[in-house]
Amino acid sequence: MGRYVANPCLHISAGLILVKDSYPLARASRQVEEALDKAKKSGRDRLCLLGNVLEWGNLPSILADNQLLVKEGGPSAFLYRLLAYAGMWQRYRDGDNLGLRYQPLLSYSLTRNVNQEKQPRIYKWAKALLEWPLPAPACQTMDHLGLISSLAIFWQRGGKE
């Protein structure tokens, strides 16, 4: 983040929410403040987006994964399942080994919902999440899978403007 500010001692944290244009401004303001507080409590140079806290350096790869799902036309059923698998991964990260159930479920969902010939990039991306042990990039993707899939779902619902 130092390249954006002249003083390396300065740090930038942000809280972002997504709302419709008719959403009450006072309520949105409170929610943005809560998101900013959550980002600041997690450390320096953080962004809280849709309740997910991440380092600024992770944002480009998260947005790239999101755009892959959007541009390749990830099926909505698959995207909603990714949300569930993100929760399972979080449970595993919190110490519950049953969270690893995401792997066979993701494998089944991938085979059932993603056409390998029509959507090869999504297929390859999701297949990388099935390796074990997960390499660092796939682990980072799993850590932010809920955010990636939520953004793709919002985009598909009509957030393209």
Coordinates of all heavy atoms in Angstrom, one line a residue, residues 128-141:
A128 N -8.4 -26.9 -9.3 CA -7.2 -26.6 -8.5 C -7.6 -26.5 -7.0 O -6.7 -26.7 -6.1 CB -6.6 -25.3 -8.9
L129 N -8.8 -26.3 -6.7 CA -9.3 -26.2 -5.3 C -9.4 -27.6 -4.7 O -9.7 -27.7 -3.5 CB -10.6 -25.4 -5.2 CG -10.5 -24.0 -5.7 CD1 -11.9 -23.4 -5.6 CD2 -9.5 -23.2 -5.0
L130 N -9.3 -28.6 -5.5 CA -9.5 -30.0 -5.0 C -8.1 -30.7 -4.6 O -8.1 -31.8 -4.1 CB -10.2 -30.8 -6.0 CG -11.6 -30.4 -6.3 CD1 -12.2 -31.2 -7.5 CD2 -12.5 -30.5 -5.1
E131 N -7.0 -30.0 -5.0 CA -5.7 -30.6 -4.7 C -5.6 -30.7 -3.1 O -6.1 -29.9 -2.4 CB -4.6 -29.8 -5.2 CG -4.5 -29.7 -6.7 CD -3.4 -28.8 -7.2 OE1 -2.4 -28.7 -6.5 OE2 -3.6 -28.3 -8.3
W132 N -4.8 -31.7 -2.7 CA -4.5 -31.7 -1.3 C -3.1 -32.2 -1.0 O -2.7 -33.2 -1.6 CB -5.5 -32.7 -0.5 CG -5.4 -32.4 0.9 CD1 -4.8 -33.2 1.9 CD2 -6.0 -31.3 1.6 NE1 -4.9 -32.7 3.1 CE2 -5.6 -31.5 3.0 CE3 -6.7 -30.2 1.2 CZ2 -6.0 -30.6 3.9 CZ3 -7.1 -29.3 2.2 CH2 -6.8 -29.5 3.5
P133 N -2.3 -31.5 -0.3 CA -2.6 -30.3 0.4 C -2.7 -29.1 -0.6 O -2.1 -29.1 -1.6 CB -1.5 -30.1 1.4 CG -0.3 -30.9 0.8 CD -0.9 -32.0 0.0
L134 N -3.5 -28.2 -0.2 CA -3.8 -27.0 -1.1 C -2.5 -26.2 -1.2 O -1.9 -25.9 -0.2 CB -4.9 -26.1 -0.6 CG -6.3 -26.6 -0.8 CD1 -7.3 -25.6 -0.1 CD2 -6.6 -26.7 -2.2
P135 N -2.1 -25.9 -2.5 CA -1.0 -24.9 -2.6 C -1.5 -23.5 -2.1 O -2.7 -23.3 -2.0 CB -0.7 -24.9 -4.1 CG -1.9 -25.6 -4.8 CD -2.6 -26.4 -3.7
A136 N -0.5 -22.7 -1.9 CA -0.8 -21.3 -1.3 C -1.8 -20.5 -2.1 O -2.8 -20.0 -1.5 CB 0.5 -20.5 -1.2
P137 N -1.7 -20.5 -3.5 CA -2.8 -19.7 -4.2 C -4.2 -20.3 -4.0 O -5.1 -19.5 -3.9 CB -2.3 -19.7 -5.6 CG -0.9 -20.1 -5.6 CD -0.7 -20.9 -4.4
A138 N -4.3 -21.6 -4.0 CA -5.6 -22.2 -3.9 C -6.1 -22.0 -2.4 O -7.3 -21.8 -2.2 CB -5.6 -23.7 -4.2
C139 N -5.2 -22.0 -1.5 CA -5.6 -21.8 -0.1 C -6.1 -20.3 0.1 O -7.2 -20.1 0.7 CB -4.4 -22.0 0.8 SG -4.8 -22.1 2.6
Q140 N -5.5 -19.4 -0.6 CA -6.0 -18.0 -0.5 C -7.3 -17.9 -1.2 O -8.2 -17.2 -0.7 CB -5.0 -17.1 -1.2 CG -5.4 -15.6 -1.2 CD -4.5 -14.7 -2.0 OE1 -3.3 -14.9 -2.0 NE2 -5.0 -13.8 -2.7
T141 N -7.5 -18.6 -2.3 CA -8.8 -18.6 -3.0 C -9.9 -19.2 -2.1 O -11.0 -18.6 -1.9 CB -8.8 -19.4 -4.3 OG1 -7.8 -18.8 -5.2 CG2 -10.1 -19.4 -5.0

